[in-house]
Amino acid sequence: MRTTRLPAVSHGKGGRTMAGVVWIFLFFALSLPAWAAPHSEATQECLACHVEATPGIVSDWQRSRHAEVTPADALQMAPLYRKVSSPKIPQSLQATSVGCAECHTLNPQTHKDTVEHNGYDVHVVVTPRDCRTCHVQEVDQYGQNLMAHAHGILMKNPLYGNLVEAVNGIQVLGSQGLRMAEVPAHTNDDSCLSCHGTRVEVQGTVSRETDLGEMDFAVLTGWPNVGVGRLNPDGSKGSCSSCHARHAFSMEVARKPNTCSQCHKGPDVPAYKVYQVSKHGNIYASQKAKWNFSSVPWVVGKDFNAPTCAACHASLLVDEGGNVLAQRTHRMNDRLPWRIFGLIYSHPHPKEPDTFSIRNGQGLALPTNLDGSPVRSAVIDAQEQTKRRETLHGVCLGCHSVSWVQGHWARFEKTLEESNRMTRTATELMQKAWERGLARGPQAKQNPFDEPFEKLWVEQWLFFANSVRFSSAMLGSDYSVFDNGRWYQSKGLRDMMRRLEMGRPGAVNAKTR
C-alpha cells in the first residue's frame, strides 16, 4: 500500500484548522485508485488543499495518465507504444507521478508569473517549454507548426490586422457617418485571440484573503486562454491544453473531433461542420462508443474504422499487422501539401510558420499575388508537396483502394483550381472598384476589408471558397453547394458586378481613427 506524508501547510490568520485539512487529505488519499502512481511530497501538499479548493481539477487529474504512470515506467515501453518522447527525463522526476508540483513548479526561473505559494515557487501558466521535459519531440514539432505561431501570424501581419479591425472594431455614428473606434484589447482576446492565442503578461502581484489565509497571486493580462499560439510568460509559444484539455490531458479528448471544433467550425474554417455531414463523420457519430481512443499506436480497423481529425493530421497509425501507416506528428502540416484556408487563395503550404514576414508582388503580406499566383520563395515546392501528399495518401490507403484515393485527390485538387478561379474573378471586380473610387483599398493606404463592396469580396474567399474547399477535401458535399458554397459564390459575384455597373460608392464614409 502506498504511504503518504501528512501535509505541512501554513494556514495564516482565519485559515482552516490543521485537523480539518488532514482529514480532507486522508479522505482523498484513501479514495485514490489502487493503480495510481506514488506522488511526490510536494504534490501531496498541493492535493491536501486543492481536493477541497478545486475538486474538479483534482478529479480530472486523478483520472489522467499523469497520475497513474511514472515517467520511469513510461520510459520502459517499447518505442512504438511509448507516450513520452524525451530520451532522458531528470532523475528527480522519474519515480513519482506527474502531479501539481511537477508541472506548476517546473522551471520557475524562466516564468515571470512565478510567485511564492506555501513555501514553493509556483506559476499558473504551464507551457510547452515545461511539457518538453517529457515530450521533447512533440513540443519541437509543434514549434514548427502554424498553430504555434498563430498569434504572430494574425497580429504581426498588417493585412490580417486590417481584417481583425474590420471585424472587431467598435463602430460609432458621427456627423460624417460611421467611424471606427480603436479595438479594445479585451475584445480581441475574447474573439480572434481566443483561438489564435493571447499575449499573457504579468502586471504584478495581488494579495487575497483565502480559506488558508492571505496569499499572493500573479496579476495576468490575456488570461485565461488556451489558444494554439498563446504567447506565454516564459517566452514560449503555444498551449498544449488547446487539444489536451487541462488537467486530464486526455489522449481521448485530443483524438475526438469535438475538440477541434472549438476553432474549426466556420464559416471561415468549416472543417467540423463538413466532417459532421461526411460519411466519415456519420460513421464516427454512429460507432464512436465502440472505439478505443487511448491506444498507442492507434490501430486502423481495430481501434477505430473511420478517420477523425487526429487520425488524418497527427496520430501514429498502424494496421493490424503492426505496419506504420503514418508517424505521429505535432507539426500538423507534415501531411498537408496545400494550405486550403488562405487569405485570399488556396496555395502550396508555406515553408515557414512565420507567414507575416511574406510579401507578394504588390507588397502585401500574402503568400499569393492578387492574381492568385503563389510567391514561390515563400511556399513549398512540387517535390515537397508530393512527399506530403503521399504521407496523407498512406492514411487514406489504410481503408481505401488506390483508385478511390487517387480519384478523390484528383477531384479535390481540381476543386482548388476552380475555387481560385472564382476568387480571382471576385478580386478583379474588387480591383476595379478600387480603381473607380467605389471603395478605398491598399493603394489609398486604407483598410481593404471594411467597406460594403469589400465585405462582399471578403465573403467570397473567406466563407464561400473555403466552404467549397473543405467540403471537397472532407467529402461533405452539401457545404460545397448551397450551404455557404458554390451557390453563394455565384450569387456574390453577381452582387459585386451589379454594384460595379451601378457605379454606386461602396462605403458609408467609414473612417478609422
Side-chain angles (χ1 to χ4, degrees), residues 364 430-431 433-437 439-446 448 454:
L364 301 174
M430 188 69 255
Q431 288 176 298
W434 284 329
E435 291 168 4
R436 297 181 189 181
R440 296 164 300 171
Q443 78 285 350
K445 301 189 184 305
Q446 296 293 316
E454 293 166 338

Side-chain angles (χ1 to χ4, degrees), residues 25 71 83 117 156 211 244 246 312 359 365 375 381 426:
F25 178 77
K83 302 169 187 68
H117 184 76
K156 288 186 178 181
D211 288 345
H244 300 275
R246 307 179 308 167
C312 288
R359 292 297 180 271
V375 179
D381 58 23

Side-chain angles (χ1 to χ4, degrees), residues 166-432:
V167 174
N168 292 339
I170 306 301
Q171 297 189 46
V172 295
L173 183 62
S175 58
Q176 301 298 313
L178 288 176
R179 67 180 178 86
M180 194 87 75
E182 186 176 347
V183 182
H186 69 265
T187 300
N188 285 340
D189 289 354
D190 196 45
S191 55
C192 304
L193 297 181
S194 179
C195 288
H196 280 256
T198 58
R199 180 185 295 275
V200 181
E201 295 183 301
V202 180
Q203 300 300 312
T205 59
V206 62
S207 295
R208 292 202 298 266
E209 193 66 32
T210 74
D211 288 345
L212 299 179
E214 191 175 87
M215 293 184 176
D216 292 335
F217 298 88
V219 177
L220 304 174
T221 57
W223 184 258
N225 180 263
V226 291
V228 293
R230 189 181 68 200
L231 303 182
N232 300 306
D234 66 347
S236 65
K237 297 176 181 177
S239 169
C240 302
S241 53
S242 298
C243 302
H244 300 275
R246 307 179 308 167
H247 279 82
F249 298 102
S250 164
M251 187 176 296
E252 178 177 353
V253 169
R255 281 175 168 175
K256 288 185 176 179
N258 313 66
T259 295
C260 305
S261 75
Q262 182 175 337
C263 295
H264 294 271
K265 201 168 185 177
D268 55 334
V269 192
Y272 180 73
K273 294 193 294 186
V274 171
Y275 177 80
Q276 281 184 305
V277 302
S278 73
K279 187 58 66 181
H280 293 153
N282 296 164
I283 297 170
Y284 165 77
S286 302
Q287 300 185 5
K288 61 184 177 182
K290 302 175 184 177
W291 293 3
N292 181 352
F293 289 93
S294 300
S295 175
V296 174
W298 215 9
V299 183
V300 177
K302 177 184 176 184
D303 295 326
F304 69 104
N305 61 317
T308 66
C309 315
C312 288
H313 299 294
S315 294
L316 168 61
L317 304 181
V318 301
D319 62 22
E320 294 194 59
N323 301 300
V324 175
L325 303 178
Q327 294 287 351
R328 179 193 296 115
T329 182
H330 280 61
R331 191 177 77 158
M332 303 302 179
N333 57 328
D334 278 351
R335 306 178 193 175
L336 295 176
W338 296 100
R339 178 73 167 144
I340 64 175
F341 170 76
L343 191 92
I344 298 164
Y345 298 91
S346 62
H347 51 79
H349 222 282
K351 289 180 181 177
E352 302 295 336
D354 291 327
T355 59
F356 55 80
S357 61
I358 299 171
R359 292 297 180 271
N360 69 6
Q362 293 79 43
L364 301 174
L366 293 172
T368 60
N369 296 299
L370 289 181
D371 65 2
S373 59
V375 179
R376 291 296 177 189
S377 60
V379 299
I380 61 175
D381 58 23
Q383 182 177 357
E384 179 64 21
Q385 277 193 288
T386 298
K387 176 184 173 183
R388 297 186 186 186
R389 186 185 292 108
E390 288 175 350
T391 301
L392 192 49
H393 278 195
V395 176
C396 303
L397 290 168
C399 295
H400 296 289
S401 67
V402 171
S403 62
W404 179 286
V405 174
Q406 289 180 342
H408 167 67
W409 272 82
R411 187 162 54 197
F412 162 62
E413 294 190 345
K414 284 294 184 184
T415 297
L416 295 184
E417 294 176 14
E418 292 169 0
S419 67
N420 279 348
R421 285 172 60 191
M422 292 285 276
T423 298
R424 179 171 180 175
T425 301
T427 303
E428 289 172 346
L429 290 171
M430 188 69 255
Q431 288 176 298
K432 288 184 180 295

Side-chain angles (χ1 to χ4, degrees), residues 426-472:
T427 303
E428 289 172 346
L429 290 171
M430 188 69 255
Q431 288 176 298
K432 288 184 180 295
W434 284 329
E435 291 168 4
R436 297 181 189 181
L438 304 182
R440 296 164 300 171
Q443 78 285 350
K445 301 189 184 305
Q446 296 293 316
N447 189 327
F449 307 125
D450 62 347
E451 300 179 71
F453 199 107
E454 293 166 338
K455 288 182 181 293
L456 290 175
W457 172 58
V458 169
E459 289 178 346
Q460 284 292 303
W461 44 263
L462 188 60
F463 298 161
F464 310 148
N466 277 341
S467 187
V468 169
R469 294 165 189 155
F470 277 97
S471 297
S472 182

Side-chain angles (χ1 to χ4, degrees), residues 2 27-33 35-37 39 47 51 54-69 98 247-248:
R2 178 171 54 82
F27 175 81
F28 167 75
L30 292 172
S31 68
L32 285 173
W35 60 85
H39 307 326
L47 295 172
V51 68
T54 56
I57 286 176
V58 172
S59 179
D60 266 356
W61 174 79
Q62 276 184 273
R63 293 190 291 267
S64 74
R65 197 181 303 272
H66 284 164
E68 296 172 1
V69 180
V98 180
H247 279 82

